[in-house]
Amino acid sequence: MSDPTTPTSEQDWRATLSPAEYAVLREGGTEPAFRGEYTDTETEGVYACRACGAELFTSREKFHSGCGWPAFFAPADADNVRLIEDRSHGMIRTEVRCAKCDSHLGHVFRGEGFSTPTDERYCINSISMTLRPATN
């Protein structure tokens, strides 16, 4: 069942998102490295899709990879993201999309040798998320 508050047309998305958000979330763009709002954030909380509010990652899965974008070793719930093959730019990668609204979030890379539980790096654009700080 669709959420009535989530835009359904590209015209609605353009009216809802800023031009920079639209470029990343709806057109598959990438924000510049080391410039995103959450690259080095250590605030505890939940990272939600900026387009629809779906919970994507938590601070428990976030780690410093040095890649220039927020990195997570796993999503909060695997059902909240969709992984698809991306053959753009002469590479074969795995794109990460929001399962609820199909917005582009970033890419996941495997086998890079990080000392995390999964040896996966979900390299996610800050602009595709909103951090909801934990309330203690």
Side-chain angles (χ1 to χ4, degrees):
M1 177 183 273
S2 66
D3 179 346
T5 61
T6 302
T8 55
S9 72
E10 291 309 305
Q11 181 177 349
D12 290 341
W13 283 117
R14 284 187 189 279
T16 302
L17 302 170
S18 73
E21 291 167 342
Y22 186 87
V24 172
L25 290 159
R26 305 309 302 168
E27 296 179 324
T30 302
E31 66 189 353
F34 300 102
R35 306 259 291 285
E37 178 179 7
Y38 303 125
T39 301
D40 295 318
T41 299
E42 295 189 14
T43 302
E44 290 185 23
V46 173
Y47 292 86
C49 178
R50 190 167 298 215
C52 72
E55 292 186 2
L56 303 170
F57 303 94
T58 74
S59 56
R60 290 184 305 275
E61 294 90 25
K62 191 171 189 291
F63 70 102
H64 293 284
S65 69
C67 70
W69 293 271
F72 304 86
F73 62 79
D77 182 331
D79 290 338
N80 292 355
V81 297
R82 189 165 67 91
L83 306 178
I84 58 173
E85 185 177 279
D86 176 3
R87 291 182 170 262
S88 66
H89 307 291
M91 299 177 266
I92 300 174
R93 303 180 289 175
T94 302
E95 181 182 8
V96 181
R97 289 186 164 266
C98 175
K100 182 177 176 185
C101 70
D102 200 39
S103 288
H104 171 79
L105 305 171
H107 290 86
V108 61
F109 302 94
R110 296 176 177 92
E112 296 178 315
F114 288 104
S115 61
T116 61
T118 63
D119 198 19
E120 293 182 323
R121 176 174 57 94
Y122 284 77
C123 183
I124 307 298
N125 292 286
S126 287
I127 200 167
S128 67
M129 303 179 293
T130 300
L131 174 59
R132 297 179 189 151
T135 54
N136 296 337

